[in-house]
Amino acid sequence: MEQLLQQIEAIKKEIAEATATGQAEVEQYRIKYLGTKGLVKQIMGEMKNVPNDQKKEFGQILNAFKLVAEEKLEQLQAALGDSAEVDDSKDYTLPGDTVTVGTRHPLNLVRNQMVSIFKRLGFAVAEGPEVEDDWHNFGAMNLPADHPARDMQDTFYVQEPNEEGAAWLLRTHTSSVQARVMETQKPPIRVICPGRVYRNETISARAHCFFHQVEGLYIDENVSFADLKQTLYFFVQEMFGKDVKVRFRPSYFPFTEPSAEMDISCQICSGKGCNICKHTGWVEILGSGMVHPNVLKNFGIDTEKYTGFAFGMGVERIAQLKYQVNDLRLYSQNDLRFLQQFKSV
Ligand code: PHE
């Protein structure tokens, strides 16, 4: 008797310490303790040797012992969680299906990078509508109804101009967003305006009827052309690396005076001459200038106190130089073979 009780205690201790990391180990446990030839059954078999007057007491001990073993089995099973319900009809060793992860559109990758560079300089992002009125796209930007420079940007009209020149159109540049910012905010103003713009061009490798811009506007006291140059120089160095060269050429925009276009050394051929830079070694990437006083006056900004610079560039052009994409149409054809080459971070 005494010996049997000791044996039971020893097995109980073993049971208490038993662990299982998988279904197979749970099964081993079950066979060892609760199987038809298991330890619980064996001990039960000793019952016949127990003297009659002790049978009742011993029976209770044995039942409690069995219960301990069964409870532990349940615990081990529960600890395995869902994995415990193994479905043998499936082959879990088969390789899984590949999950196709989407990639960001190259224009979004480049736009995001452009935005983050300007954000570091303290520029905030401003957005506005793509269907615009004549005033925000042209009038406020110093392009009155009969201004010849309107022809520079072939406009898609949603509603043709009436006698007063009022019209609805698809914005031809995100300068319209700058107008909306000046309308609602007081200087100092420091914003960039990323967005899609539309121009009535025949679609080809080099032109499309829509493209994307990032325009910028900085108005404060004492803003000078030197600030403009330094800001844009910083931008291209961050975008293309420290070796990039820049040059400014005098230009004309109705909304800036003086105006300049900025070229950078061709990133495709490193200035040696190629198709992209038309063998000049330079590629134009943006238009810029000091905000025309007429524009500031349109928004009641004191031109004695404030000056500002503005710039505008095409995201496609920057992306072309970064990724050597030579056909603008690729950006809007949704060809996965093209899109999947651009891995987002
Ligand atoms: N709005 C001009 C364009 O779309 C770009 C520009 C912006 C030029 C600001 C000068 C200053 O072509």
Side-chain angles (χ1 to χ4, degrees):
M1 259 300 274
E2 200 48 43
Q3 204 191 341
L4 208 54
L5 283 175
Q6 274 174 16
Q7 215 180 332
I8 290 174
E9 281 314 308
I11 299 172
K12 269 175 142 175
K13 204 164 159 249
E14 238 183 77
I15 288 176
E17 282 162 10
T19 55
T21 54
Q23 193 59 47
E25 282 178 36
V26 173
E27 183 61 4
Q28 268 170 25
Y29 170 92
R30 191 192 63 78
I31 293 168
K32 181 169 177 190
Y33 296 101
L34 296 162
T36 36
K37 290 179 186 151
L39 286 168
V40 172
K41 277 263 158 61
Q42 278 177 38
I43 303 278
M44 292 278 195
E46 298 294 326
M47 192 67 167
K48 58 182 184 298
N49 304 326
V50 175
N52 273 350
D53 58 339
Q54 289 177 23
K55 269 203 166 52
K56 189 176 171 211
E57 187 198 348
F58 198 70
Q60 283 167 354
I61 292 172
L62 275 183
N63 275 339
F65 170 55
K66 191 179 171 202
L67 219 64
V68 166
E70 283 171 343
E71 264 167 20
K72 181 72 182 194
L73 178 66
E74 267 169 34
Q75 274 173 27
L76 292 177
Q77 192 77 55
L80 284 185
D82 287 343
S83 64
E85 290 151 29
V86 173
D87 178 354
D88 289 336
S89 68
K90 298 199 172 68
D91 181 355
Y92 289 97
T93 64
L94 281 177
D97 291 337
T98 23
V99 179
T100 332
V101 179
T103 53
R104 269 189 221 285
H105 194 281
L107 292 179
N108 283 344
L109 285 177
V110 171
R111 195 258 332 262
N112 291 350
Q113 206 182 339
M114 294 167 79
V115 167
S116 89
I117 295 170
F118 283 110
K119 272 191 176 170
R120 274 188 273 147
L121 290 174
F123 284 81
V125 173
E127 288 181 326
E130 293 183 13
V131 178
E132 217 8 310
D133 56 60
D134 194 276
W135 168 252
H136 290 98
N137 194 80
F138 288 132
M141 286 292 134
N142 201 29
L143 280 122
D146 54 356
H147 199 289
R150 285 192 179 212
D151 297 341
M152 279 162 66
Q153 304 184 347
D154 301 284
T155 311
F156 282 119
Y157 282 95
V158 176
Q159 199 176 77
E160 292 285 344
N162 62 18
E163 290 93 69
E164 282 104 51
W168 288 99
L169 45 84
L170 298 182
R171 66 182 180 195
T172 59
H173 52 187
T174 58
S175 300
S176 56
V177 183
Q178 301 185 2
R180 288 182 176 275
V181 169
M182 286 186 275
E183 200 170 55
T184 50
Q185 296 175 27
K186 297 210 170 327
I189 289 171
R190 198 161 21 171
V191 289
I192 44 166
C193 313
R196 180 174 288 180
V197 301
Y198 301 81
R199 292 184 196 177
N200 192 354
E201 306 242 14
T202 309
I203 296 171
S204 71
R206 295 171 156 270
H208 211 291
C209 58
F210 64 77
F211 62 101
H212 300 80
Q213 281 191 323
V214 171
E215 291 214 356
L217 174 70
Y218 182 21
I219 303 174
D220 203 346
E221 291 176 41
N222 301 319
V223 174
S224 70
F225 204 89
D227 297 321
L228 161 83
K229 285 173 87 172
Q230 190 50 45
T231 302
L232 295 176
Y233 189 42
F234 175 81
F235 167 73
V236 290
Q237 284 198 322
E238 290 298 300
M239 197 76 204
F240 296 109
K242 297 284 175 214
D243 293 336
V244 65
K245 293 195 200 56
V246 300
R247 73 177 186 190
F248 284 83
R249 284 177 293 101
S251 184
Y252 171 77
F253 298 101
F255 28 87
T256 48
E257 182 61 34
S259 305
E261 279 168 333
M262 190 174 96
D263 298 343
I264 61 169
S265 45
C266 182
Q267 298 301 297
I268 308 289
C269 63
S270 318
K272 285 187 210 72
C274 68
N275 275 343
I276 301 284
C277 63
K278 300 190 197 98
H279 300 280
T280 62
W282 294 96
V283 183
E284 180 205 319
I285 63 159
L286 59 84
S288 64
M290 301 306 292
V291 182
H292 197 292
N294 286 354
V295 175
L296 297 177
K297 281 181 201 148
N298 279 337
F299 297 99
I301 296 171
D302 183 352
T303 52
E304 295 298 316
K305 189 169 174 199
Y306 294 107
T307 49
F309 69 70
F311 59 86
M313 58 186 132
V315 179
E316 278 81 352
R317 173 58 59 84
I318 305 291
Q320 175 190 42
L321 294 174
K322 243 187 130 51
Y323 297 124
Q324 315 204 1
V325 176
N326 55 13
D327 189 334
L328 277 179
R329 290 169 294 195
L330 287 165
Y331 290 124
S332 47
Q333 280 166 340
N334 282 339
D335 187 332
L336 286 178
R337 292 168 304 174
F338 172 70
L339 295 174
Q340 282 175 342
Q341 295 175 64
F342 303 93
K343 296 288 173 230
S344 29
V345 247

